[in-house]
Structures are given as structure tokens and as C-alpha cells.
């Protein structure tokens, strides 16, 4: 019925626009023949009629979106039934004593006769849009911890993960989740749908206008996802806001949620065009006519980003820094759209307990720590490895008899090498260390395993963060959980949320320039053993604010809102909307009046 109504509405809009054009042409001819109006009066009347005609375009476009949604719904119904049948078969296998690879054994002990409250008896499909779900990074930990929390709250919900990782099967992905994050999921009710258009969101596919290109690519990717299955709730956990806008365009009543790791564009990015080195990858790019063009392009993109952000029902940000920028970008648009849900801070889950169990922090273990400064970060330009090398060089070469550094002081750079560009970057950093005369004190560790990283965290003394405006800083929390003294960039999440005063004392140091970093390193290295231990213990206690249990609690507070919206949508009738009906009646009256006038004049 809703499909036929929208189809009729679209047909009416098209007929009305055609009638408007014909009547306008008829009136222009009549006015010219009569000669009673001047040309500027005729032009003014034409302008008014054109403006009235454009009022139909917005509702017509929204009707086209709903019709596309009807088509995608009908196309994915067969797959929905197949998924339900597969889940029933997998559940039966588990209940009969069988297991699925990657299955959490604790789920097998669930009593099938357990009484489920109406609040938790949500049986719908929750779609998680995460095209790179098998990457194994901090964003993926958020995804899997979120699904685990959702399954514990809503055991009958079916979690659909839209991914482009065609090289990994469901069993492979679930096994990697257990190995990498020690997260166990109820496998029968986790289903993976494989996207075929992921290349459109790769930066390499858009060498020019990358922000716009990737955002348009996410629209293609979202349509690819909906062509396979239309979920009851759609959540983006990777930062593709335009995909959420696409969901609202096709399915206005579908509840949507966003977990924002980093705003696609921000006021800080715009400001960085006029800043110096170390303030982002576009620092200083605002000079000349190219810089002016880039600034205007970014401003226009920010408006589009704000517009799509205003359509999202529930928004979560991973830090106070991200939250502040999302509020400034999306706040007014959300208010105009009538969204009542606030933009809430949900800190990402960090393996604080796992690290704390492995690494002891006490006065007794202080003597086992080496005077090693460790920086764990991917070898990407924005991580500012060059600045850290310069700061370490300044530290080493400023050592004197009055302020003598420990003889075993060294810097260890640990990170993954994703491709040939990263490998080239590591080579350039080695050359820089040689030029700075610190190559003997600097060590590079590429593609270290988690076990190897834990060993470095256990024996090192200082943890470094060099990125300007790091949105959160999971690595910094891991430093704190391991008892390292952190020296972090004086910006973003590390400054605002992590390395803060705790229990009336500092938990690390902030720095912005090579000299400030060198000073922070020096202060941390030359502290007394007692002061070091006290700061390490404060940092570890502070890190507990970011554990997985706290994340699950905050995540579920937001998911409950989406489930409630989903249930309200099912109760709400879907007639021809009052707004469209009123517009149609008004336009019919206007056209009738014009026709009568023309008939009388004839």
C-alpha cells in the first residue's frame, strides 16, 4: 500500500510540474499578446511561478528515495528469509552439542527456556556498516566489543556486518577476533555480507577531491549493502556519514546510529591550512590561489557533511575532542531536523585488564624497567615520527655533566608497515636518524606481534604520542595500563581525556614542539624512582576509565534508544503524509485558479 501511495504521489508531482510549465507558457503568450504588462512585470511573475514550482522538487525527490527504498526492500526479502533459515539451522546445531568455529562456549550454556523480558526481546536485524572489519585495529575493537555488548543485551537480535574483506570467511574473521582482541561472539547470530564496491571508498581511487570522492563512494557502498539486505537498524562504526544519509533518503523511518572516531572535516583542519609543520598533513597548504580554492572546497564540503549528519538519530563520539567538533558541525542541523538525542561520548574499549594482568607496576618492578622511550604508531605522515626523532636528538645532544642522561637511554619506534609507501617512510626515518647522529640509540620494530608489544611495554619507561589532534589515543591508554609515563601531543584526546590530572597528581606530560618533547622526555627520565612509581600507578588507575565494561555500559545506553525508535516505527501507521497531502491540495488549488483565469481571459 505504501509503495502504491508513493508511486501515485510521484506521478502526481510529475504531472503537476508539467502542468505548471504548460500553464506558465500559456500565460506568457497571453500576457505578450495583451500587452498589458511590461517585460519586467512578466519576468517577475515567471520568477514567482518558478519558485512555487521548485517547492515540488524536494517532496518529489524524497518520494523517489522512498520508492528506491521499496525496491531495495523487496529485493532483499529473499536473502532475509535465507539468513533466518541459516540461523535456525546453526542454533539447532549448537543446541545439539555441535559448535561453530569462533563460537563462544559460554553461549552454548544459555538456557533456551530462560525468560526474556519484552525490553530485551528484540528480534530484528541490526546492520553494522564497517567495510574494513578484518583490519585488526582500534576501530575494529570498537565494532566487535559493540556487537558483543549488543548480543548480551538482545540475544535474539541478528547482527549483520557489511564488509569488503572477501579474502576472509566468517570462521576466519571470528577466529581473528578471538586471537587479536580476545572477544567471543555468539556466532550463529552474526552474519557477514560482502560488499563488491569497497574500492570506491579508497583514497587511491580519488587522487583529486579525495574527501568528496570517498563520501560519494560511501553512497555507492551503502546502496550495495542495502541491495543485499535492508536492516531494521543501521549503524555506521567507521565514519561514513554519507552512508547514513543514504539510509535516511531511502528509508526515512529506519533508525540510524553513528559511532564517530574522527570527523571527516573539522574547523581544526581548516585552520591547519595556515599552520606550520606538524599540524596535520595539510599544514601550510592554504597559500596562493590553490590554497584559497582548497579552503572554499572544504567549506562547501563541511556544509554537506553537516547536512547529512543532521539526519542521524543517535550519535556517539569516541572522545571529548571528537564530540566537540561533531556538535559544532552537526548540532544545528540536528536541531533543525528535530533530533532530540544528544551527541554522547562513548570512549572506545581498551584491553586495560589484559595488560594489567600481564604487567606488574610496583616499586619492586621499577628497577626492571629500562630507560627506553617507545612510540607505538603506524608509520603514517600524521604520526609525526620526524618530529619525535628531532626531539630525541635534541635530548641526547643536550646531555651534559650537570644534566646527565642514563647511558642506556634509547628510542624504539614500533609500527606496522602496510605497503611500499610505509616501507619508504621507514627508510627515510632511518636516514634521518643517521643524519641526526642518533642511529645507534634508535631502533625500528616493524609489524610486531601483540606478544612482542607487551614485552616492550613491560620493560620500557616512557610512552610517546606525536600526532597532532589525535581523536582519542588507544595507544596512550595502553601505555598507562602498562605503567608507562606518557609524553603526548598537547592536543586532541590524549590531552583532553587521557593524560589528565588523576587523584590530585599528573599522569604524564604534554608537548607540542621538538624542544617541548625533549623537555618532557628529560623530566620523565630524571624523576626519582619513587615519583616514577607513583605516576605509573596513577596512570594505571586512570586507564581503568576506558575498560571494556565501561564501554559496553555506555554503548547499550545508546542502542536502547535505537531499538525503541525501531519499535515505535512499527507501531506508527504509514499513510500519505499530511505534509505532502497539504502541498498537493495547495498546488491543485493554485493550478485551478490559473486555469480559470486563462479561460476567462480567452
Amino acid at each position: 500500500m505504501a509503495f502504491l501511495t508513493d508511486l501515485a504521489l510521484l506521478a502526481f508531482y510529475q504531472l503537476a510540474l508539467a502542468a505548471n510549465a504548460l500553464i506558465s507558457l500559456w500565460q506568457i503568450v497571453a500576457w505578450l499578446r495583451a500587452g498589458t504588462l511590461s517585460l519586467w512585470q512578466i519576468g517577475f511573475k515567471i520568477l514567482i511561478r518558478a519558485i512555487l514550482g521548485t517547492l515540488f522538487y524536494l517532496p518529489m525527490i524524497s518520494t523517489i528515495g522512498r520508492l528506491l527504498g521499496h525496491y531495495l526492500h523487496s529485493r532483499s526479502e529473499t536473502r532475509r528469509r535465507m539468513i533466518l533459515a541459516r540461523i535456525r539451522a546453526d542454533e539447532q546445531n549448537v543446541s545439539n552439542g555441535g559448535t561453530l568455529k569462533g563460537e563462544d562456549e559460554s553461549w552454548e550454556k544459555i538456557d533456551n527456556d530462560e525468560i526474556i523480558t519484552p525490553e530485551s526481546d528484540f528480534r530484528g536485524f541490526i546492520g553494522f556498516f564497517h567495510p574494513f572489519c578484518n583490519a585488526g585495529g582500534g576501530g575494529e575493537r570498537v565494532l566487535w566489543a559493540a556487537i558483543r555488548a549488543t548480543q548480551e543485551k538482545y540475544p535474539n537480535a541478528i547482527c549483520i556486518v557489511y564488509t569488503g574483506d572477501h579474502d576472509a570467511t566468517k570462521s576466519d574473521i571470528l577466529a581473528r577476533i578471538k586471537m587479536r582482541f580476545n572477544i567471543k561472539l555468539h556466532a550463529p547470530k552474526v552474519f557477514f555480507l560482502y560488499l563488491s564496491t569497497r574500492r570506491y571508498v579508497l583514497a587511491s581511487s580519488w587522487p583529486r577531491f579525495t574527501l568528496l570522492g570517498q563520501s560519494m563512494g560511501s553512497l555507492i557502498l551503502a546502496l550495495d549493502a542495502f541491495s543485499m539486505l535492508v536492516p531494521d537498524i543501521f549503524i555506521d562504526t567507521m565514519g561514513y556519514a554519507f552512508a547514513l544519509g543514504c539510509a535516511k533518503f531511502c528509508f526515512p523511518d529506519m533508525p540510524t546510529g553513528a559511532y564517530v572516531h574522527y570527523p571527516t572535516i573539522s574547523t581544526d583542519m581548516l585552520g591547519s591550512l595556515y599552520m606550520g609543520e606538524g599540524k596535520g598533513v595539510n599544514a601550510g597548504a592554504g597559500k596562493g590561489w590553490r590554497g584559497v580554492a582548497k579552503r572554499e572546497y572544504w567549506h562547501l564540503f563541511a556544509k554537506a557533511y553537516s547536512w547529512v549528519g543532521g539526519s542521524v538519530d543517535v550519535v556517539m563520539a569516541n572522545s571529548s575532542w571528537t564530540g566537540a567538533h561533531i556538535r559544532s558541525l552537526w548540532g544545528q542541523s540536528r536541531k533543525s531536523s528535530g533530533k532530540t538525542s544528544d551527541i554522547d561520548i562513548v570512549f572506545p574499549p581498551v584491553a586495560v585488564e589484559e595488560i594489567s594482568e600481564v604487567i606488574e607496576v610496583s616499586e619492586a618492578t621499577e628497577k626492571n624497567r629500562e630507560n627506553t622511550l617507545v612510540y607505538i604508531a603506524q608509520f603514517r605522515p600524521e604520526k609525526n615520527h620526524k618530529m619525535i626523532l628531532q626531539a630525541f636528538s635534541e635530548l641526547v645532544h643536550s646531555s651534559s655533566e650537570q644534566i646527565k642522561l642514563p647511558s642506556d637511554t634509547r628510542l624504539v619506534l614500533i609500527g606496522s608497515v602496510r605497503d611500499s609507501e610505509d616501507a619508504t617512510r621507514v627508510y627515510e626515518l632511518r636516514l634521518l636518524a643517521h643524519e641526526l647522529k642518533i642511529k645507534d640509540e634508535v631502533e625500528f620494530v616493524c609489524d610486531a606481534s601483540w606478544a612482542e608489544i607487551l614485552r616492550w611495554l613491560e620493560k620500557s619507561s616512557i610512552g610517546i604520542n606525536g600526532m597532532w589532534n589525535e581523536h582519542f589515543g588507544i595507544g596512550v591508554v595502553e601505555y598507562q595500563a602498562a605503567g608507562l609515563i606518557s609524553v603526548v601531543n598537547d592536543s586532541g584526546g590524549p590531552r583532553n581525556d587521557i593524560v589528565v590530572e588523576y587523584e590530585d597528581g599528573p599522569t604524564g606530560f604534554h608537548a607540542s614542539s621538538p624542544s617541548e618533547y625533549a623537555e618532557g622526555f628529560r623530566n620523565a627520565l630524571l624523576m626519582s624512582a619513587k615519583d616514577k612509581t607513583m605516576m605509573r600507578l596513577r596512570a594505571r588507575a586512570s586507564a581503568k576509565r576506558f575498560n571494556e565494561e565501561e564501554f559496553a555500559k555506555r554503548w547499550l545506553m545508546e542502542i536502547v534508544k535505537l531499538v525503541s525508535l525501531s519499535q515505535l516505527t512499527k507501531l506508527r501507521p504509514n499513510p500519505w503524509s499530511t505534509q505532502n497531502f497539504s502541498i498537493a491540495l495547495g498546488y491543485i488549488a493554485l493550478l485551478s485558479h490559473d486555469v480559470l483565469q486563462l479561460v476567462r481571459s480567452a
Side-chain angles (χ1 to χ4, degrees):
M1 182 61 185
F3 172 75
L4 293 176
T5 301
D6 284 332
L7 193 61
L9 188 60
L10 179 62
F12 168 77
Y13 284 149
Q14 290 176 327
L15 288 172
L17 287 169
N20 178 62
L22 288 173
I23 291 172
S24 297
L25 183 62
W26 189 1
Q27 284 184 326
I28 291 170
V29 173
W31 288 331
L32 290 173
R33 283 180 177 177
T36 56
L37 297 175
S38 64
L39 288 177
W40 74 266
Q41 288 176 315
I42 293 174
F44 180 74
K45 286 181 175 289
I46 293 173
L47 177 62
I48 295 299
R49 180 163 291 282
I51 292 172
L52 291 172
T54 57
L55 294 177
F56 258 98
Y57 282 102
L58 288 178
M60 186 174 74
I61 290 171
S62 67
T63 303
I64 292 172
R66 290 198 301 274
L67 285 171
L68 178 58
H70 288 308
Y71 168 73
L72 293 171
H73 254 302
S74 62
R75 179 173 176 174
S76 67
E77 272 305 307
T78 301
R79 189 182 297 272
R80 179 180 282 250
R81 289 194 293 269
M82 290 173 60
I83 290 173
L84 288 171
R86 176 65 180 273
I87 289 171
R88 283 194 294 269
D90 287 346
E91 290 277 20
Q92 186 64 35
N93 181 39
V94 171
S95 64
N96 290 338
T99 59
L100 298 175
K101 192 173 181 181
E103 173 70 275
D104 177 4
E105 295 178 359
S106 65
W107 283 95
E108 299 173 25
K109 301 173 185 176
I110 293 177
D111 184 0
N112 291 328
D113 297 326
E114 179 183 353
I115 298 174
I116 299 174
T117 63
E119 180 190 21
S120 62
D121 191 22
F122 175 72
R123 298 174 179 271
F125 286 69
I126 303 178
F128 292 86
F129 192 68
H130 204 105
F132 298 86
C133 78
N134 204 35
E140 287 65 57
R141 179 184 283 277
V142 169
L143 170 67
W144 305 125
I147 291 178
R148 179 174 62 184
T150 302
Q151 287 190 321
E152 290 175 355
K153 175 69 175 177
Y154 301 106
N156 291 314
I158 299 163
C159 296
I160 304 295
V161 180
Y162 298 100
T163 179
D165 295 304
H166 288 265
D167 57 340
T169 65
K170 175 178 178 176
S171 297
D172 294 336
I173 295 172
L174 293 178
R176 179 174 168 82
I177 296 167
K178 288 183 70 174
M179 179 187 70
R180 177 69 179 86
F181 303 118
N182 195 28
I183 291 177
K184 302 172 185 177
L185 303 176
H186 184 44
K189 289 189 176 175
V190 178
F191 211 88
F192 295 88
L193 294 179
Y194 292 88
L195 304 164
S196 60
T197 54
R198 190 175 72 175
R199 64 186 180 278
Y200 291 115
V201 296
L202 296 174
S204 58
S205 298
W206 309 94
R208 297 288 183 271
F209 299 101
T210 307
L211 286 179
L212 181 61
Q214 286 182 295
S215 297
M216 294 301 101
S218 70
L219 294 177
I220 299 171
L221 206 57
L223 289 173
D224 186 7
F226 296 140
S227 69
M228 290 188 286
L229 180 78
V230 177
D232 300 299
I233 295 171
F234 186 64
I235 304 172
D236 167 53
T237 52
M238 211 171 168
Y240 295 114
F242 284 78
L244 295 168
C246 179
K248 279 297 183 184
F249 176 67
C250 297
F251 317 103
D253 291 331
M254 178 193 289
T256 56
Y259 187 91
V260 185
H261 295 274
Y262 197 89
T264 305
I265 194 164
S266 67
T267 53
D268 284 355
M269 283 178 63
L270 292 167
S272 72
L273 293 174
Y274 305 99
M275 293 181 177
E277 188 177 353
K279 303 297 183 181
V281 294
N282 288 285
K287 300 174 183 177
W289 70 268
R290 288 179 179 272
V292 172
K294 191 179 191 72
R295 182 186 63 198
E296 293 305 314
Y297 157 55
W298 277 10
H299 274 294
L300 289 173
F301 180 82
K303 290 180 180 179
Y305 184 63
S306 300
W307 180 65
V308 296
S311 69
V312 186
D313 294 306
V314 172
V315 181
M316 296 164 271
N318 71 338
S319 69
S320 59
W321 182 88
T322 302
H325 282 278
I326 290 297
R327 287 189 188 98
S328 69
L329 288 163
W330 292 4
Q332 186 58 46
S333 180
R334 287 174 57 75
K335 187 177 179 180
S336 301
S337 302
K339 303 300 180 186
T340 56
S341 175
D342 192 14
I343 296 172
D344 294 314
I345 308 302
V346 180
F347 293 124
V350 185
V352 174
E353 290 88 352
E354 180 184 351
I355 295 173
S356 300
E357 289 175 2
V358 174
I359 300 174
E360 181 184 351
V361 178
S362 65
E363 291 184 9
T365 59
E366 183 62 36
K367 63 179 181 295
N368 298 328
R369 290 191 181 267
E370 301 171 0
N371 291 298
T372 299
L373 294 75
V374 62
Y375 185 18
I376 304 175
Q378 290 180 330
F379 290 105
R380 304 203 312 257
E382 62 269 25
K383 296 299 182 179
N384 283 335
H385 286 88
K386 289 183 178 179
M387 183 177 69
I388 298 305
L389 285 173
Q390 291 165 355
F392 185 70
S393 172
E394 185 174 331
L395 170 74
V396 171
H397 297 310
S398 65
S399 177
S400 63
E401 290 298 326
Q402 291 78 19
I403 309 177
K404 192 170 181 62
L405 294 175
S407 58
D408 62 340
T409 301
R410 61 174 174 159
L411 172 65
V412 179
L413 303 177
I414 303 175
S416 59
V417 177
R418 301 165 300 171
D419 48 35
S420 59
E421 289 185 6
D422 285 356
T424 302
R425 202 167 289 118
V426 172
Y427 176 73
E428 291 172 350
L429 291 172
R430 291 181 187 274
L431 288 179
L432 179 61
H434 182 78
E435 293 171 7
L436 295 171
K437 297 182 173 57
I438 53 172
K439 67 181 182 66
D440 294 333
E441 291 85 11
V442 176
E443 181 176 350
F444 291 83
V445 179
C446 299
D447 297 319
S449 65
W450 178 241
E452 189 175 0
I453 289 173
L454 285 176
R455 286 195 293 271
W456 281 109
L457 290 174
E458 184 175 17
K459 64 184 180 181
S460 299
S461 182
I462 297 170
I464 304 169
N465 160 266
M467 181 177 172
W468 176 71
N469 271 344
E470 179 93 59
H471 46 92
F472 178 66
I474 287 179
V476 180
V477 178
E478 291 174 344
Y479 293 157
Q480 291 189 330
L484 273 67
I485 297 173
S486 302
V487 181
V488 302
N489 197 278
D490 192 19
S491 65
R495 178 190 65 189
N496 298 337
D497 298 319
I498 305 173
V499 183
V500 296
E501 293 278 325
Y502 192 79
E503 295 179 351
D504 299 323
T507 55
F509 301 92
H510 301 153
S512 296
S513 64
S515 296
E516 290 179 3
Y517 271 99
E519 184 65 22
F521 299 158
R522 187 179 297 108
N523 291 338
L525 287 168
L526 299 180
M527 290 170 65
S528 67
K530 182 179 179 181
D531 288 342
K532 284 182 181 178
T533 302
M534 290 178 64
M535 184 175 285
R536 297 188 200 283
L537 291 172
R538 279 197 303 272
R540 169 169 282 189
S542 175
K544 292 179 181 178
R545 296 176 293 133
F546 310 109
N547 61 29
E548 293 178 341
E549 183 181 348
E550 188 63 27
F551 167 80
K553 186 192 306 179
R554 290 178 175 270
W555 170 268
L556 290 176
M557 289 171 63
E558 306 304 315
I559 292 302
V560 166
K561 298 176 186 176
L562 289 171
V563 171
S564 298
L565 284 172
S566 175
Q567 293 169 341
L568 285 173
T569 300
K570 291 178 181 178
L571 295 174
R572 187 167 58 230
N574 188 26
W576 191 345
S577 73
T578 305
Q579 180 184 5
N580 286 334
F581 187 67
S582 301
I583 293 174
L585 285 180
Y587 210 72
I588 288 172
L590 179 63
L591 290 175
S592 301
H593 175 267
D594 290 338
V595 170
L596 285 173
Q597 275 194 331
L598 287 170
V599 169
R600 286 172 183 170
S601 64

